[in-house]
Amino acid sequence: MSLRIPYPQLQHELKRVLLSLSFSEERAEHCATIFAKNSRDGVYTHGLNRFPTFVQVVQQGLIHPAAEPECVEQNGALERWDGNLAPGMYSASVCMDRAIALANEHGIGCVALRNTNHWMRGGTYGWQAAEAGCIGICFTNTIANVTPWGGTDARLGNNPLVIAVPRAEKPPIVLDMAISQYSYGKLNTYATRHETLPVPGGYDQEGKLTTNAADILASERALPIGFWKGSGLSLVLDVLLTALSGGRSTAAITQSGTEAGVSQCFIALHQPNMHASLIEEIISYTKSGAPSEAGEQVFYPGEQSYATRQDNLKQGIPVEKEIWQQVQQM
């Protein structure tokens, strides 16, 4: 990270590129803002660093810039939507907004989305729900890139899961986790820095466990979190997504050869009388224990992202010089 770019400049440059790709003014503004916010919060792998890949997928015709997600079935507080291959982060925002609206009416809202695209950082939609005063739960399936417990071939997705809880005037709790031991974004970071993983994160192309991130990226055989537990969780999330949305499973996505047309689910829970004091007691108790021998601090999910946000807004967002120049030349 050799440069720091002010947030407005980063967002403006990304929007400029999207406008050149037949995005409408409103759609370009929306998508560029999500990419810029992801980098702002320290999720560089799904912010600026992912942007050139996103542009390439648009140019390949797998993302339709002008498409609109649409509701195709309603059942009370549960709705089924079709993304029509619109930009994934746009459809995800629309569907979480709809889930929030349903929750405000019914106490709970659930929108299952099929035929959509990569949503970039899943935590974006957890923050969206929490900032609207709702508990947010969302998850997505992916192309097969995780090995089921007992096997060495990728048959599961890393199927990210997000759970967010609002805290009144304080930053929300936002858990944003992949089902793989290391997210593919984190593997990319280790590989770029030529660093060894602290613990084995997957298999190499010979089927051997390894701490070499580059070898795992090449084989696309990541280990699930918690071994058999993560394996089961990934499978169940895929089953839920496919059953609720009527969309494609990890198997169908993989067989298509490209990670497009994925399935997602957005749930919002609205409880006006949440006991905020009890939430604070839980956080306080969790952070009150003795630190590890390494002197590490205990953080609740989302705490470090919020701190990174404040720092990057003051100091500028760190960017890879080569990627920044690549985007400027688009």
Side-chain angles (χ1 to χ4, degrees):
M1 299 291 187
S2 55
L3 296 174
R4 280 190 177 263
I5 303 298
Y7 171 82
Q9 182 182 354
L10 175 61
Q11 193 273 350
H12 180 269
E13 192 68 12
L14 299 178
K15 179 180 177 180
R16 178 192 63 77
V17 175
L18 294 179
L19 287 172
S20 75
L21 294 170
S22 301
F23 279 65
S24 67
E25 175 77 20
E26 181 181 358
R27 188 73 57 87
E29 175 74 20
H30 184 97
C31 294
T33 297
I34 288 179
F35 273 109
K37 284 183 174 180
N38 291 350
S39 279
R40 177 201 65 185
D41 289 0
V43 190
Y44 309 110
T45 56
H46 290 75
L48 175 66
N49 292 9
R50 184 77 179 229
F51 189 74
T53 300
F54 177 79
V55 169
Q56 183 179 33
V57 176
V58 172
Q59 292 171 334
Q60 291 171 344
L62 297 174
I63 294 175
H64 302 164
E68 281 287 343
E70 60 178 336
C71 181
V72 294
E73 188 177 335
Q74 293 179 303
N75 183 19
L78 173 63
E79 294 184 354
R80 180 176 288 174
W81 283 56
D82 191 305
N84 292 317
L85 293 179
M89 69 289 295
Y90 173 73
S91 293
S93 299
V94 169
C95 288
M96 181 53 88
D97 267 343
R98 181 56 184 158
I100 292 167
L102 289 168
N104 287 333
E105 181 180 354
H106 303 287
I108 183 171
C110 177
V111 175
L113 175 65
R114 68 187 182 212
N115 198 30
T116 188
N117 280 303
H118 198 305
W119 63 8
M120 298 304 139
R121 175 180 62 149
T124 297
Y125 318 105
W127 282 90
Q128 181 181 342
E131 289 171 353
C134 289
I135 293 170
I137 304 171
C138 51
F139 42 99
T140 180
N141 58 10
T142 71
I143 201 166
N145 52 19
V146 171
T147 58
W149 185 248
T152 58
D153 289 329
R155 292 293 182 269
L156 301 172
N158 65 343
N159 300 354
L161 170 66
V162 177
I163 303 175
V165 182
R167 295 173 61 213
E169 300 302 318
K170 297 182 179 180
I173 301 167
V174 183
L175 173 69
D176 180 2
M177 54 176 273
I179 303 303
S180 52
Q181 179 66 41
Y182 297 94
S183 70
Y184 273 77
K186 184 63 71 174
L187 289 173
N188 269 304
T189 299
Y190 273 95
T192 300
R193 296 175 180 174
H194 303 287
E195 296 177 355
T196 300
L197 299 173
V199 297
Y203 297 90
D204 61 21
Q205 291 180 320
E206 296 179 356
K208 297 178 181 178
L209 281 174
T210 180
T211 56
N212 187 308
D215 287 347
I216 299 169
L217 290 170
S219 70
E220 293 191 335
R221 298 177 183 178
L223 274 178
I225 58 171
F227 304 117
W228 51 88
K229 297 179 181 180
S231 177
L233 179 56
S234 174
L235 177 65
V236 168
L237 290 176
D238 191 32
V239 169
L240 284 174
L241 285 163
T242 306
L244 288 171
S245 70
R248 296 205 292 180
S249 65
T250 286
I253 296 164
T254 305
Q255 289 162 5
S256 75
T258 56
E259 194 175 66
V262 303
S263 305
Q264 296 169 354
C265 184
F266 303 86
I267 301 170
L269 306 169
H270 180 60
Q271 171 54 275
N273 300 316
M274 279 198 298
H275 296 285
S277 61
L278 297 180
I279 295 173
E280 298 311 310
E281 286 179 13
I282 293 169
I283 292 176
S284 178
Y285 179 74
T286 302
K287 294 167 71 72
S288 67
S292 67
E293 292 183 2
E296 296 175 346
Q297 186 177 343
V298 176
F299 297 98
Y300 65 80
E303 184 175 5
Q304 288 180 292
S305 290
Y306 184 77
T308 299
R309 176 188 303 183
Q310 305 311 308
D311 181 65
N312 283 348
L313 286 174
K314 292 178 182 177
Q315 306 294 329
I317 298 172
V319 301
E320 297 283 357
K321 184 177 180 180
E322 295 79 6
I323 297 176
W324 178 239
Q325 290 177 339
Q326 181 182 353
V327 170
Q328 287 182 304
Q329 293 167 5
M330 288 181 179

